[in-house]
Amino acid sequence: MTVMSAKHLEELCLALRRRRRACDDELVAAIEADVAAYHRDPAPQLPPEDVAEMLPLMGWLMYEASWLAVQRIPNGFTETGGEALAKARANHERVLRIANAARALPWPEFAPRALGALRALALAESKGDTQASYDRAQAVHQEARERHGSYLTYHRDNPGIGRAYDEILVQLGLAETGTSCRIAERVIDRWAEEFAADDAGADRQRREERVQIIFSDLAEGADRGKEALAAAERVAKHGFVDEPTKDKLALHTTFVNPGIMTARAVLLTLALYPEMQRLGYFPLGDDDSWDDSRETLRNRFDSAYEYVEKPVLNSRNEPQQPRDDLQLAVVQIRLAAALLMPGRRLPSRLTFAPCMAHEVLDDDAVEAMSAWLTEVTVDRNGQEKQRSTLRGFGGAVLPNFFDGVEECRAAFGGKPGYRDWRARWFILDKYAAEPDRAERVSAVLGRPVQRTRPI
């Protein structure tokens, strides 16, 4: 069987990255066919010379193709219907087929980038936005992590391949941290609609049980993010690139996204620590008290956020601003930090929005960031829409979360104010337009919500 040449594989990878080639059924079938052709019977301990040349490039192709497909799956796609659902399912199926091809690779330890297909599959599952889909996502994350460790043991005497494994570890850790945040935010945002019990006592018990679960998930997710940032530090020693190549994958912006996602996980953990303390759990790690754990989490947030603010310079030493979706995430992170730690000083070098000029995260900063996130913008299709919503802190309906945030504010020397902000900026709620959503949120807050932009 004729397989794709090394030159053709590289061309396909670059075309996918530059959006000049789609991930379609034809491409997925070609990947599957080549993987089948790579096998030898009996299989030698090391790949034959012709296959050895292809394996790293095929791994890269799986990485790029699966990533392109997963980006065409909208969040919460299982709630859609018609053509949109059909397209989402088709792309999910392509991601699954590529992941299965990655699992079937002979000598997979020579194709570390193929693990990107498992990352994409985990993200595709998480986009289902249901408990079952999150469970599947976590199982795939664990599989990818275990395969990464197993494959790396084959290269004890080849330290040169460590860069490639660290590059993919950044992405695996980033994805796993993101899933832990999405799971927690779904519980926080959808408690009244999906999790609550009719009986008050049963609901309280159910809330307490769920808080313990998501707190544990978030703590582990923050650890995975820390590991991803450590891997990025190792990659940085080899240098970043303006565009991916067959030898180097990591871009100059490598630190930004894992920094954001790790900070996001830490802030959600910080918001829930008062509940864990109330439930009688021991402090984190070797901390002697929950006060110590609060300081530990604050320091971990600072460490993660420093990576967000690292100057990003391309190969010509020119500064680069984060891409649009990361700009939104940076403001969301700063807003969450301001709600939890009022008055904290957090200067920024970034200048993409006027609200970034607020060095002190006080009430004025909160208003400026909330206003920027809710401004009406025009998308690439010419449609007007609100710039963003805010999951978790901006969409909460879980009573324990409100209590935790207010207690955290007090512990950092602030005054109560989270409930008032949530009611005033109700339009930051992703589900604000749903029937009866305003009434449900208002009942939990104990005050009316504002259905329109308050400025």
Side-chain angles (χ1 to χ4, degrees), residues 267 301 332-342 344 346 361:
L267 289 174
F301 168 76
Q332 290 167 346
I333 289 298
R334 292 177 65 88
L335 177 53
L339 293 169
L340 279 172
M341 301 177 283
R344 181 157 183 74
L346 193 67
L361 301 181

Side-chain angles (χ1 to χ4, degrees), residues 2 6-7 15 19 49 129 158-159 175 188 207 212 219 253 269 271 274 361 367 374 383 429:
T2 302
K7 180 180 179 181
R19 302 297 190 270
E49 187 175 336
D129 224 7
N158 183 12
I188 292 165
R207 282 189 274 115
Q212 295 167 55
T253 54
T269 308
L361 301 181
E367 288 297 295
T374 56
Q383 300 294 315
D429 191 325

Side-chain angles (χ1 to χ4, degrees), residues 281-406:
Y281 276 79
F282 289 115
L284 297 175
D286 296 326
D287 293 335
D288 293 328
S289 68
W290 278 104
D291 288 345
D292 291 341
S293 291
R294 183 179 63 249
E295 292 304 306
T296 296
L297 290 169
R298 181 178 69 174
N299 292 335
R300 289 191 66 178
F301 168 76
D302 290 345
S303 296
Y305 190 78
E306 284 179 8
Y307 286 100
V308 179
E309 290 285 342
K310 271 182 174 287
V312 178
L313 304 173
N314 63 19
S315 60
R316 296 181 296 279
N317 212 35
E318 299 167 338
Q320 294 179 282
Q321 292 287 327
R323 63 177 190 260
D324 290 349
D325 61 323
L326 295 182
Q327 290 179 11
L328 289 176
V330 171
V331 175
Q332 290 167 346
I333 289 298
R334 292 177 65 88
L335 177 53
L339 293 169
L340 279 172
M341 301 177 283
R344 181 157 183 74
R345 188 173 182 274
L346 193 67
S348 176
R349 302 183 184 91
L350 302 173
T351 58
F352 59 81
C355 61
M356 296 297 294
H358 288 265
E359 291 192 2
V360 178
L361 301 181
D362 55 15
D363 291 345
D364 289 341
V366 168
E367 288 297 295
M369 289 185 284
S370 303
W372 186 79
L373 288 171
T374 56
E375 285 178 354
V376 175
T377 61
V378 179
D379 65 18
R380 64 183 63 182
N381 298 317
Q383 300 294 315
E384 289 189 348
K385 65 174 185 177
Q386 182 174 304
R387 178 177 275 121
S388 181
T389 56
L390 177 59
R391 297 183 67 166
F393 291 90
V397 74
L398 177 67
N400 306 56
F401 189 77
F402 291 114
D403 294 340
V405 174
E406 295 287 21

